[in-house]
Amino acid sequence: MSAEAGNFSPMQELIATLDLEKLEENLFRGTSPQVGWQRVFGGQVIAQALVAAQRTVDEGRFVHSLHAYFMRPGDPSIPIVYEVDRIRDGKSFTTRRVVAVQHGKAIFSLSASFQEDEDGFEHQQAMPPVPTPEELGGEGDIVSRYVENAPEAIRRYWLRPRPIEFCPAYPEDYFNRQQLEPVQNVWVRTTGPSPDDRRLRAAILAYLSDMTLLDTSLYAHGTSVFDSDLQVASLDHAMWFHRDFSLDDWLLYGQDSPSASGARGMTRGSLYSRSGVLIASVAQEGLIRKRASA
């Protein structure tokens, strides 16, 4: 089904956007919200492709990793067709490949692996110490303190109703244009009730995992994705789901960018529950090309 603007909250619209239409075995269709964007948000395509793959996997198996490539910009004005290839159904693991198609051409591909829950060794890196969302005042306080005097593109983005709320741990770094260490910590949470469906939660986590990563790779250069002189886009995206989780509270998205070269920036991310449990890891390379002067 699809959600019409004005009839649903942003979170309800996201859930509706992830509810793909089944066209045939291994073939699904998704639509995009009409919010005035020139191209489909990459996190939406990742999440929809994951949903398509999940629809072909036994209910007792859950995604533990995905690897994706963005090949062409998505057109938000027309549906996206997702073709699922059932590569393997093993004793413990299931592998799927998904290709997203528009205008007769592939715009995106995703490979995902699913596993039955098993017991095993446990360890994780600790969550970095940062101010809590309450100490920061939440997104509303950040908007009132920083957004009013921000450039128009940034102001429009932050004031638009969204299914995901952001609260940068150090908002002064996010809004200034000084050259900084390429490290960012952002609290994130859904703006509506969390679904009691583990597969849908994984898709929503994949959706939000594509947010703010490209910004981190630009911190060292004193610019941002809102700079009109830059051409920026996600090129690939990988994600590992370590543990089941809840979306009922804030998650900390810790990020660092170890390298930028060749008009590409690479960023790594770690998603933690508020209690410090590492629930997922992310890696992404993005295009960060300086536009040629007229």
Side-chain angles (χ1 to χ4, degrees):
M1 67 178 176
S2 62
E4 296 181 5
N7 295 334
F8 293 85
S9 70
M11 189 61 194
Q12 289 172 321
E13 185 171 17
L14 173 58
I15 292 173
T17 299
L18 298 180
D19 188 11
L20 304 182
E21 176 188 2
K22 183 177 180 179
L23 300 177
E24 182 53 86
E25 288 300 312
N26 307 322
L27 200 62
F28 303 88
R29 178 164 58 196
T31 58
S32 303
Q34 300 304 301
V35 293
W37 290 357
Q38 293 182 338
R39 62 188 182 190
V40 178
F41 168 53
Q44 175 195 313
V45 187
I46 299 170
Q48 287 183 327
L50 177 57
V51 168
Q54 289 171 334
R55 298 273 177 93
T56 70
V57 175
D58 290 345
E59 291 185 0
R61 297 187 178 189
F62 303 96
V63 63
H64 70 87
S65 70
L66 63 82
H67 301 262
Y69 284 93
F70 298 89
M71 294 174 278
R72 294 181 176 88
D75 181 353
S77 68
I78 66 169
I80 305 171
V81 174
Y82 295 91
E83 304 174 0
V84 182
D85 184 2
R86 302 186 186 222
I87 293 178
R88 181 176 183 268
D89 291 279
K91 292 182 179 180
S92 299
F93 291 87
T94 297
T95 307
R96 295 290 185 262
R97 181 172 183 266
V98 184
V99 176
V101 177
Q102 281 188 319
H103 301 293
K105 296 179 180 179
I107 65 168
F108 171 88
S109 69
L110 173 143
S111 294
S113 183
F114 301 79
Q115 181 190 14
E116 298 175 349
D117 286 337
E118 296 184 30
D119 293 327
F121 296 112
E122 288 270 348
H123 78 270
Q124 69 159 78
Q125 290 186 330
M127 182 172 74
V130 297
T132 67
E134 289 74 22
E135 292 171 326
L136 294 164
E139 185 177 283
D141 185 64
I142 290 171
V143 168
S144 64
R145 291 170 57 196
Y146 295 96
V147 173
E148 182 179 353
N149 297 318
E152 177 63 23
I154 297 177
R155 190 162 62 251
R156 283 200 312 269
Y157 178 78
W158 276 79
L159 295 178
R160 178 188 295 123
R162 289 178 277 111
I164 307 299
E165 180 179 359
F166 301 106
C167 185
Y170 303 100
E172 62 277 7
D173 292 347
Y174 187 89
F175 289 100
N176 72 31
R177 287 296 169 264
Q178 297 177 9
Q179 292 183 345
L180 304 166
E181 286 295 313
V183 175
Q184 180 176 205
N185 290 284
V186 186
W187 291 100
V188 296
R189 70 175 176 183
T190 59
T191 58
S194 168
D196 187 25
D197 180 327
R198 181 170 171 180
R199 292 184 170 199
L200 186 54
R201 289 198 303 272
I204 293 171
L205 196 70
Y207 173 92
L208 69 83
S209 73
D210 191 37
M211 297 176 170
T212 72
L213 284 169
L214 281 173
D215 282 310
T216 306
S217 66
L218 292 168
Y219 265 34
H221 309 281
T223 186
S224 82
V225 296
F226 297 103
D227 186 342
S228 60
D229 292 334
L230 291 180
Q231 181 184 359
V232 297
S234 301
L235 295 173
D236 61 15
H237 193 94
M239 191 169 185
W240 296 264
F241 300 79
H242 306 306
R243 299 165 179 86
D244 193 13
F245 58 92
S246 170
L247 290 172
D248 292 332
D249 198 359
W250 291 97
L251 305 175
L252 182 67
Y253 200 178
Q255 304 166 25
D256 73 281
S257 178
S259 175
S261 65
R264 304 181 314 275
M266 194 270 180
T267 304
R268 302 175 294 201
S270 299
L271 282 153
Y272 295 89
S273 70
R274 183 196 281 265
S275 62
V277 176
L278 179 63
I279 61 175
S281 298
V282 181
Q284 182 184 92
E285 191 171 49
L287 177 71
I288 49 172
R289 177 186 291 150
K290 193 78 172 177
R291 296 183 189 275
S293 301

